[in-house]
């Protein structure tokens, strides 16, 4: 499915956690993992340092290292340009996933999401390497809007490639509301049927959850199901737009112990 998986690396344990998940995917697809460090050559980590880290992890084959100097646009833009030069690439990267605060603190991950033509797999601060698997279901989070459904084609493609069942999950408010519950159930059923109609070999499932916090509910469901990852669409907003609207997607990334497959809403 992918020939090359690029993992931005900043010398932190958190960024190496993303390498661990990338290696699981690479072994499944027969892909190569490239660990990418963006820093001035004189003061930065060397390619030998990255290679030695891979060797210590027991990865003698299938892991490469690249050291790139940042360009004028910044680290995020440098990563995007480097990835664009690769054949059939996927980006797997760690992020703080700070939700609304990312508007003020900045987020290389969101720069990458906004500029990439394909999905980006994010590994947040709560990611637990001991829970990493690619055998568990893939949870697609939707909110009833066509924007949120942007993630569904990607989820379908990945589910078929990984040979796992996708789940379509919608979170509604708490409290008993018969009409709302019927509408929610009908919506998730239609979305799941549409995935099945695309001719995929998997069997889509669906669930309606009741919670005032959609992000927390989606993460809890993923943990309960032993999911391999969550999938969500995002506008990847920054600045005042992020502060006004918030971001359920980045809240999910922040709290999820499994990686989050993100696609950009145009």
């Amino acid at each position: 499915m992918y020939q090359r998986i690029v993992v931005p690396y900043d010398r932190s344990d958190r960024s190496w956690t993303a390498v661990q998940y990338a290696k699981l995917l690479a072994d499944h697809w027969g892909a190569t993992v490239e660990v990418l460090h963006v820093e001035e050559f004189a003061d930065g980590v060397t390619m030998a340092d990255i290679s030695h880290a891979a060797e210590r992890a027991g990865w003698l084959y299938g892991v490469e290292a690249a050291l790139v100097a940042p360009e004028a646009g910044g680290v995020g833009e440098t990563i995007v340009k480097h990835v664009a030069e690769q054949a059939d690439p996927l980006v797997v990267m760690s992020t703080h996933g700070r939700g609304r605060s990312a508007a003020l603190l900045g987020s290389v991950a969101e720069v990458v999401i906004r500029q990439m033509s394909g999905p980006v797999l994010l590994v947040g601060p709560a990611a637990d390497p001991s829970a990493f698997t690619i055998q568990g279901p893939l949870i697609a989070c939707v909110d009833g809007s066509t924007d949120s459904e942007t993630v569904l084609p990607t989820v379908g493609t990945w589910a078929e490639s990984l040979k796992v069942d996708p789940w379509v999950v919608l979170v509604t408010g708490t409290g008993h509301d018969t009409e709302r519950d019927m509408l929610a159930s009908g919506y998730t059923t239609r979305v799941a049927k549409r995935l099945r109609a695309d001719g995929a070999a998997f069997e889509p499932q669906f669930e309606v959850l009741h919670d005032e916090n959609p992000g927390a509910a989606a993460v809890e469901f993923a943990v309960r199901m032993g999911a391999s990852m969550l999938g969500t669409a995002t506008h990847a907003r920054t600045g005042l737009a992020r502060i006004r609207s918030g971001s359920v997607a980045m809240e999910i990334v922040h709290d999820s112990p499994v990686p989050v497959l993100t696609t950009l809403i145009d």
Side-chain angles (χ1 to χ4, degrees):
M1 184 167 161
Y2 292 98
Q3 297 178 10
R4 195 171 194 82
I5 302 176
V6 180
V7 187
Y9 174 63
D10 63 5
R11 291 184 287 178
S12 69
D13 291 341
R14 178 175 295 156
S15 61
W16 193 257
T17 299
V19 180
Q20 292 177 259
Y21 198 82
K23 191 62 169 61
L24 285 177
L25 293 172
D27 288 345
H28 178 79
W29 289 324
T32 297
V33 174
E34 179 187 72
V35 181
L36 172 66
H37 185 67
V38 180
E39 190 170 326
E40 293 295 345
F41 295 161
D43 301 320
V45 66
T46 67
M47 288 192 287
D49 293 330
I50 299 174
S51 297
H52 290 161
E55 290 175 6
R56 287 196 300 273
W59 303 337
L60 301 180
Y61 306 99
V63 175
E64 298 179 359
L67 187 62
V68 179
E71 300 190 8
V75 174
E77 288 82 353
T78 304
I79 292 170
V80 172
K81 181 177 179 181
H82 178 83
V83 172
E85 296 170 349
Q86 313 302 312
D88 196 19
L90 168 70
V91 175
V92 178
M93 66 186 300
S94 64
T95 177
H96 292 287
R98 292 188 177 96
R100 294 189 179 193
S101 65
L104 303 178
L105 298 173
S107 172
V108 173
E110 291 187 7
V111 172
V112 173
I113 293 171
R114 288 199 308 275
Q115 297 188 21
M116 284 286 295
S117 59
V120 177
L121 190 62
L122 298 181
V123 182
D128 179 9
S130 67
F132 286 172
T133 178
I134 58 171
Q135 279 78 49
L138 206 170
I139 312 297
C141 304
V142 296
D143 62 12
S145 69
T146 54
D147 279 352
S148 70
E149 295 169 21
T150 303
V151 74
L152 294 176
T154 299
V155 166
T157 299
W158 279 56
E160 188 161 24
S161 176
L162 296 175
K163 297 179 174 57
V164 299
D165 287 340
W167 281 75
V168 176
V169 172
L170 172 70
V171 183
T172 66
T174 57
H176 180 67
D177 186 323
T178 301
E179 182 178 0
R180 180 198 63 193
D181 292 346
M182 290 178 63
L183 289 172
S185 179
Y187 168 74
T188 52
T189 301
R190 289 194 302 274
V191 171
K193 283 183 177 179
R194 194 166 72 232
L195 274 175
R196 186 182 300 114
D198 289 339
F202 52 69
E203 182 66 22
Q205 309 291 327
F206 60 91
E207 185 70 35
V208 177
L209 306 175
H210 298 280
D211 200 296
E212 297 301 331
N213 188 329
V219 169
E220 191 279 331
F221 181 77
V223 171
R224 177 155 44 93
M225 296 298 297
S228 58
M229 67 188 80
L230 284 144
T232 184
T234 177
H235 288 283
R237 293 189 178 105
T238 58
L240 293 177
R242 161 62 68 79
I243 294 173
R244 287 194 298 268
S245 66
S247 174
V248 172
M250 292 310 290
E251 290 174 5
I252 289 173
V253 172
H254 183 274
D255 295 337
S256 176
V258 299
V260 181
L261 185 63
T262 60
T263 58
L264 182 66
I265 299 170
D266 294 330

PDB file of all heavy atoms in Angstrom, residues 30-31 33 56 68-69 98 110 120 143 148 157 168 192 220 258 263:
ATOM      1  N   GLY A  30       5.637  -4.335   3.805  1.00  0.00           N
ATOM      2  CA  GLY A  30       6.913  -4.490   3.122  1.00  0.00           C
ATOM      3  C   GLY A  30       7.506  -3.149   2.731  1.00  0.00           C
ATOM      4  O   GLY A  30       8.199  -3.035   1.714  1.00  0.00           O
ATOM      5  N   ALA A  31       7.243  -2.130   3.532  1.00  0.00           N
ATOM      6  CA  ALA A  31       7.711  -0.776   3.250  1.00  0.00           C
ATOM      7  C   ALA A  31       9.014  -0.478   3.992  1.00  0.00           C
ATOM      8  O   ALA A  31       9.418  -1.214   4.894  1.00  0.00           O
ATOM      9  CB  ALA A  31       6.646   0.245   3.649  1.00  0.00           C
ATOM     10  N   VAL A  33      11.040   2.239   6.414  1.00  0.00           N
ATOM     11  CA  VAL A  33      10.878   3.351   7.350  1.00  0.00           C
ATOM     12  C   VAL A  33      12.065   4.294   7.199  1.00  0.00           C
ATOM     13  O   VAL A  33      13.220   3.868   7.262  1.00  0.00           O
ATOM     14  CB  VAL A  33      10.794   2.862   8.808  1.00  0.00           C
ATOM     15  CG1 VAL A  33      10.774   4.052   9.778  1.00  0.00           C
ATOM     16  CG2 VAL A  33       9.557   1.999   9.018  1.00  0.00           C
ATOM     17  N   ARG A  56      19.641  -0.614  18.131  1.00  0.00           N
ATOM     18  CA  ARG A  56      19.363  -0.965  19.532  1.00  0.00           C
ATOM     19  C   ARG A  56      17.960  -1.540  19.682  1.00  0.00           C
ATOM     20  O   ARG A  56      17.691  -2.350  20.563  1.00  0.00           O
ATOM     21  CB  ARG A  56      19.533   0.260  20.435  1.00  0.00           C
ATOM     22  CG  ARG A  56      20.984   0.675  20.657  1.00  0.00           C
ATOM     23  CD  ARG A  56      21.096   1.609  21.850  1.00  0.00           C
ATOM     24  NE  ARG A  56      20.319   2.825  21.683  1.00  0.00           N
ATOM     25  CZ  ARG A  56      20.756   3.923  21.075  1.00  0.00           C
ATOM     26  NH1 ARG A  56      21.971   3.952  20.549  1.00  0.00           N
ATOM     27  NH2 ARG A  56      19.982   4.987  20.980  1.00  0.00           N
ATOM     28  N   VAL A  68      18.143  16.567   7.344  1.00  0.00           N
ATOM     29  CA  VAL A  68      17.828  17.643   6.413  1.00  0.00           C
ATOM     30  C   VAL A  68      17.883  18.985   7.140  1.00  0.00           C
ATOM     31  O   VAL A  68      17.362  19.118   8.248  1.00  0.00           O
ATOM     32  CB  VAL A  68      16.428  17.450   5.801  1.00  0.00           C
ATOM     33  CG1 VAL A  68      16.088  18.582   4.848  1.00  0.00           C
ATOM     34  CG2 VAL A  68      16.350  16.103   5.078  1.00  0.00           C
ATOM     35  N   ALA A  69      18.499  19.973   6.528  1.00  0.00           N
ATOM     36  CA  ALA A  69      18.541  21.315   7.105  1.00  0.00           C
ATOM     37  C   ALA A  69      17.205  22.016   6.890  1.00  0.00           C
ATOM     38  O   ALA A  69      16.594  21.881   5.829  1.00  0.00           O
ATOM     39  CB  ALA A  69      19.665  22.125   6.469  1.00  0.00           C
ATOM     40  N   ARG A  98      -2.166  19.393  21.500  1.00  0.00           N
ATOM     41  CA  ARG A  98      -2.615  20.200  22.632  1.00  0.00           C
ATOM     42  C   ARG A  98      -4.026  20.754  22.489  1.00  0.00           C
ATOM     43  O   ARG A  98      -4.458  21.541  23.316  1.00  0.00           O
ATOM     44  CB  ARG A  98      -1.640  21.373  22.829  1.00  0.00           C
ATOM     45  CG  ARG A  98      -0.258  20.962  23.310  1.00  0.00           C
ATOM     46  CD  ARG A  98       0.532  22.199  23.659  1.00  0.00           C
ATOM     47  NE  ARG A  98       1.850  21.849  24.185  1.00  0.00           N
ATOM     48  CZ  ARG A  98       2.964  21.808  23.476  1.00  0.00           C
ATOM     49  NH1 ARG A  98       2.903  22.043  22.181  1.00  0.00           N
ATOM     50  NH2 ARG A  98       4.121  21.522  24.027  1.00  0.00           N
ATOM     51  N   GLU A 110       0.282  20.019  12.506  1.00  0.00           N
ATOM     52  CA  GLU A 110      -0.832  20.629  11.787  1.00  0.00           C
ATOM     53  C   GLU A 110      -0.376  21.301  10.497  1.00  0.00           C
ATOM     54  O   GLU A 110      -1.112  21.336   9.510  1.00  0.00           O
ATOM     55  CB  GLU A 110      -1.571  21.606  12.698  1.00  0.00           C
ATOM     56  CG  GLU A 110      -2.301  20.867  13.805  1.00  0.00           C
ATOM     57  CD  GLU A 110      -3.181  21.765  14.634  1.00  0.00           C
ATOM     58  OE1 GLU A 110      -3.338  22.942  14.277  1.00  0.00           O
ATOM     59  OE2 GLU A 110      -3.711  21.273  15.638  1.00  0.00           O
ATOM     60  N   VAL A 120      -2.282  11.696   7.301  1.00  0.00           N
ATOM     61  CA  VAL A 120      -1.132  11.718   8.209  1.00  0.00           C
ATOM     62  C   VAL A 120      -1.525  10.940   9.460  1.00  0.00           C
ATOM     63  O   VAL A 120      -2.616  11.146  10.006  1.00  0.00           O
ATOM     64  CB  VAL A 120      -0.737  13.158   8.581  1.00  0.00           C
ATOM     65  CG1 VAL A 120       0.412  13.156   9.593  1.00  0.00           C
ATOM     66  CG2 VAL A 120      -0.346  13.952   7.337  1.00  0.00           C
ATOM     67  N   ASP A 143     -19.496  13.080  12.844  1.00  0.00           N
ATOM     68  CA  ASP A 143     -20.396  13.889  13.663  1.00  0.00           C
ATOM     69  C   ASP A 143     -21.708  14.199  12.954  1.00  0.00           C
ATOM     70  O   ASP A 143     -22.456  15.070  13.383  1.00  0.00           O
ATOM     71  CB  ASP A 143     -19.700  15.186  14.093  1.00  0.00           C
ATOM     72  CG  ASP A 143     -19.295  16.071  12.915  1.00  0.00           C
ATOM     73  OD1 ASP A 143     -19.752  15.805  11.781  1.00  0.00           O
ATOM     74  OD2 ASP A 143     -18.518  17.019  13.121  1.00  0.00           O
ATOM     75  N   SER A 148     -17.069  15.644   8.225  1.00  0.00           N
ATOM     76  CA  SER A 148     -16.502  14.560   9.040  1.00  0.00           C
ATOM     77  C   SER A 148     -16.373  13.268   8.250  1.00  0.00           C
ATOM     78  O   SER A 148     -15.509  12.426   8.531  1.00  0.00           O
ATOM     79  CB  SER A 148     -17.354  14.327  10.291  1.00  0.00           C
ATOM     80  OG  SER A 148     -18.614  13.760   9.959  1.00  0.00           O
ATOM     81  N   THR A 157     -10.033   2.150   2.861  1.00  0.00           N
ATOM     82  CA  THR A 157      -8.832   1.637   2.188  1.00  0.00           C
ATOM     83  C   THR A 157      -7.884   0.989   3.177  1.00  0.00           C
ATOM     84  O   THR A 157      -7.349  -0.099   2.938  1.00  0.00           O
ATOM     85  CB  THR A 157      -8.110   2.781   1.447  1.00  0.00           C
ATOM     86  OG1 THR A 157      -8.985   3.328   0.462  1.00  0.00           O
ATOM     87  CG2 THR A 157      -6.849   2.277   0.768  1.00  0.00           C
ATOM     88  N   VAL A 168     -17.894   2.740  12.368  1.00  0.00           N
ATOM     89  CA  VAL A 168     -18.320   4.126  12.235  1.00  0.00           C
ATOM     90  C   VAL A 168     -18.967   4.529  13.555  1.00  0.00           C
ATOM     91  O   VAL A 168     -19.950   3.916  13.984  1.00  0.00           O
ATOM     92  CB  VAL A 168     -19.318   4.301  11.080  1.00  0.00           C
ATOM     93  CG1 VAL A 168     -19.820   5.740  11.024  1.00  0.00           C
ATOM     94  CG2 VAL A 168     -18.680   3.897   9.755  1.00  0.00           C
ATOM     95  N   ALA A 192     -22.315   3.209   7.264  1.00  0.00           N
ATOM     96  CA  ALA A 192     -21.693   1.881   7.243  1.00  0.00           C
ATOM     97  C   ALA A 192     -22.056   1.126   5.971  1.00  0.00           C
ATOM     98  O   ALA A 192     -21.210   0.461   5.361  1.00  0.00           O
ATOM     99  CB  ALA A 192     -22.119   1.085   8.483  1.00  0.00           C
ATOM    100  N   GLU A 220     -12.446   6.403  24.584  1.00  0.00           N
ATOM    101  CA  GLU A 220     -12.839   5.319  25.495  1.00  0.00           C
ATOM    102  C   GLU A 220     -13.355   4.114  24.721  1.00  0.00           C
ATOM    103  O   GLU A 220     -13.056   2.967  25.051  1.00  0.00           O
ATOM    104  CB  GLU A 220     -13.909   5.829  26.464  1.00  0.00           C
ATOM    105  CG  GLU A 220     -14.218   4.879  27.622  1.00  0.00           C
ATOM    106  CD  GLU A 220     -15.182   3.759  27.236  1.00  0.00           C
ATOM    107  OE1 GLU A 220     -16.014   3.973  26.333  1.00  0.00           O
ATOM    108  OE2 GLU A 220     -15.099   2.669  27.836  1.00  0.00           O
ATOM    109  N   VAL A 258      -3.792   5.063  21.158  1.00  0.00           N
ATOM    110  CA  VAL A 258      -3.465   4.489  19.840  1.00  0.00           C
ATOM    111  C   VAL A 258      -3.346   5.625  18.840  1.00  0.00           C
ATOM    112  O   VAL A 258      -3.901   6.708  19.033  1.00  0.00           O
ATOM    113  CB  VAL A 258      -4.527   3.468  19.381  1.00  0.00           C
ATOM    114  CG1 VAL A 258      -4.609   2.309  20.359  1.00  0.00           C
ATOM    115  CG2 VAL A 258      -5.887   4.139  19.212  1.00  0.00           C
ATOM    116  N   THR A 263      -7.305  13.038   8.116  1.00  0.00           N
ATOM    117  CA  THR A 263      -7.418  13.542   6.749  1.00  0.00           C
ATOM    118  C   THR A 263      -7.886  14.984   6.816  1.00  0.00           C
ATOM    119  O   THR A 263      -8.639  15.375   7.732  1.00  0.00           O
ATOM    120  CB  THR A 263      -8.402  12.720   5.910  1.00  0.00           C
ATOM    121  OG1 THR A 263      -9.700  12.729   6.551  1.00  0.00           O
ATOM    122  CG2 THR A 263      -7.930  11.292   5.771  1.00  0.00           C
TER     123      THR A 263
END
